[in-house]
Amino acid sequence: MGNTAVVVGGGIGGLAAAIGLRRIGWQVTLVERAPAREDAGAGISLAANGLRALDGLGVGEAVRKASRGQYSGGTRTPRGSWLARMDGAELEQAVGTPITGIPRSTLHRLLREALPAESLLMGSEAGSVEQINPGRVRVGCGDTVLEADLVVAADGVASKVRGLLFPAHPGPVYSGSTVLRAITGQAVDPTTDFELTWGRGAEFGHIAFPDGRAEWHAVLNLPAGTRFADPLAELRRRFRGWHDPIPALLDATPDHAVLHHDVNELRTPLASYVVGRTALLGDAAHAMTPNLGQGACQALEDAVTLAAALATAPTVEAALARYDAQRRPRSQAVARAARQAGRMGQQLSHPLAVALRNTAMRMTPSRIATRMILRHHAWLPPQLP
């Protein structure tokens, strides 16, 4: 019998981890508490590092075919003037691919299709994780008990497994921002592939998809737990007078399509991503704000790095030590950079601070802006056998 693993969580990170482990010959059971994955979410941007990780897992080509390259766009003011232009062709020349936009549900489906149905244990929540001896871990899932050589905890920002492993850790905290998002119900013409618009304590952005629809998101500085009886009416009020295509994107959205989530992050870094034979991955390990668009990409990096370490290290323990050493410094540095980007971007609300930032952005040469992006995108995955 070969090596066995239980992956807790059926989101992007968990699915990617299961794919990577199966590619190196492990038997995998993925535990997901939802009885059927609802693919909640709107759209997602994947940078070169995330796409390269998907290539390493063998699903990059399928994801690219379902994505739209983000070649045109940039950052604007509410009146529509440009703060910075995005040159997708320049980025593609530098790292081999532009940033791509894909509906989250499509990405989930493509990842699930890379796994056999029998490896998915849906409608079951991991209630306990126990190291029963140096080489085995037991996972309690209601009436089902699973034992494995490895547990991968990819159960999100509110990770129950992380809480079991690190009971003294403060856990996730509210970032100060809440986000509403949706995919338009029909094709639209936003004229650009990708945009961000920064106001005072507010951001509106969109991503265009291959079928002509677009994802939009609105980020607001509000107290945690704030909700609206009529989200679209509230957004039309708040973004009244903002430039096109913002009104058109809101008008093309069905009322029932709007999702609203507070943005929580793991502000206190974990001291390790590994405890015994359990490894934390994705948001469970390093939940970050979305300001750099790196959350999913870092989870994908985690997945391929973990699989490569397990495939080449002499022992599982050595592989997990390598995984922690390779992933923790980078992912925590990206999380810090994302937090800082939010503070200097969408979260700024003082008029003078906003004016100074806008002036600095207009004066920054595009090559310098591209170089800043490449700090996070120019990552090469380890090779899987």
Side-chain angles (χ1 to χ4, degrees), residues 8 127-131 137-138 151-155 159-169 270-281 284-285:
V8 180
S128 63
V129 176
E130 178 186 5
Q131 188 92 30
V137 189
R138 179 181 294 150
V151 170
V152 179
D155 51 339
S159 171
K160 187 171 186 177
V161 178
R162 184 185 62 235
L164 295 172
L165 298 178
F166 296 96
H169 189 274
L270 290 173
S272 176
Y273 289 174
V274 173
V275 176
R277 287 286 188 102
T278 300
L280 292 164
L281 182 148

Side-chain angles (χ1 to χ4, degrees), residues 31-355:
V31 178
E32 166 56 44
R33 65 181 179 180
R37 186 71 191 181
E38 296 178 353
D39 294 331
I44 189 169
S45 291
L46 293 172
N49 55 318
L51 290 166
R52 288 199 181 107
L54 289 165
D55 289 336
L57 297 171
V59 292
E61 183 178 356
V63 171
R64 282 182 172 85
K65 287 181 178 178
S67 304
R68 174 168 165 169
Q70 298 174 16
Y71 288 97
S72 62
T75 306
R76 305 172 78 175
T77 70
R79 291 187 176 182
S81 63
W82 291 98
L83 298 174
R85 294 272 194 171
M86 181 184 71
D87 188 341
E90 181 181 0
L91 192 60
E92 182 177 32
Q93 186 176 11
V95 293
T97 180
I99 301 171
T100 64
I102 185 172
R104 189 176 287 265
S105 60
T106 302
L107 179 58
H108 283 177
R109 175 179 57 78
L110 293 172
L111 293 174
R112 278 200 309 272
E113 289 175 353
L115 294 168
E118 59 269 21
S119 69
L120 304 177
L121 183 59
M122 308 299 291
S124 186
E125 183 174 8
S128 63
V129 176
E130 178 186 5
Q131 188 92 30
I132 55 177
N133 64 50
R136 299 287 285 177
V137 189
R138 179 181 294 150
V139 180
C141 306
D143 295 332
T144 303
V145 177
L146 303 171
E147 289 189 11
D149 301 304
L150 171 70
V151 170
V152 179
D155 51 339
V157 59
S159 171
K160 187 171 186 177
V161 178
R162 184 185 62 235
L164 295 172
L165 298 178
F166 296 96
H169 189 274
V173 298
Y174 182 53
S175 68
S177 299
T178 192
V179 59
L180 296 91
R181 54 166 67 92
I183 296 177
T184 61
Q186 68 230 30
V188 293
D189 182 14
T191 70
T192 57
D193 298 320
F194 167 84
E195 281 184 17
L196 293 177
T197 300
W198 284 343
R200 292 173 52 188
E203 171 184 299
F204 196 100
H206 76 254
I207 306 167
F209 293 144
D211 63 1
R213 295 180 302 155
E215 185 260 12
W216 58 260
H217 70 266
V219 190
L220 304 169
N221 291 351
L222 289 171
T226 300
R227 294 297 182 268
F228 307 116
D230 187 337
L232 278 175
E234 179 65 22
L235 292 176
R236 288 189 181 101
R237 183 187 71 80
R238 286 178 178 266
F239 293 99
R240 185 181 298 122
W242 285 40
H243 65 81
D244 293 330
I246 292 171
L249 290 169
L250 294 174
D251 288 344
T253 303
D255 290 339
H256 62 81
V258 181
L259 304 171
H260 189 173
H261 298 98
D262 290 342
V263 179
N264 296 313
E265 59 170 328
L266 213 62
R267 192 171 299 164
T268 301
L270 290 173
S272 176
Y273 289 174
V274 173
V275 176
R277 287 286 188 102
T278 300
L280 292 164
L281 182 148
D283 282 352
H286 46 68
M288 62 189 68
T289 64
N291 304 93
L292 293 178
Q294 277 289 311
C297 292
Q298 291 301 305
L300 294 169
E301 286 189 20
D302 290 346
V304 71
T305 300
L306 177 61
L310 290 165
T312 56
T315 65
V316 172
E317 287 75 15
L320 294 178
R322 182 187 301 174
Y323 166 74
D324 182 59
Q326 291 179 338
R327 292 303 307 145
R328 188 157 46 90
R330 172 169 164 79
S331 58
Q332 290 179 349
V334 173
R336 289 192 299 271
R339 186 180 309 120
Q340 182 64 21
R343 289 173 176 169
M344 297 302 295
Q346 169 264 322
Q347 289 188 325
L348 276 186
S349 58
H350 192 281
L352 179 58
V354 170

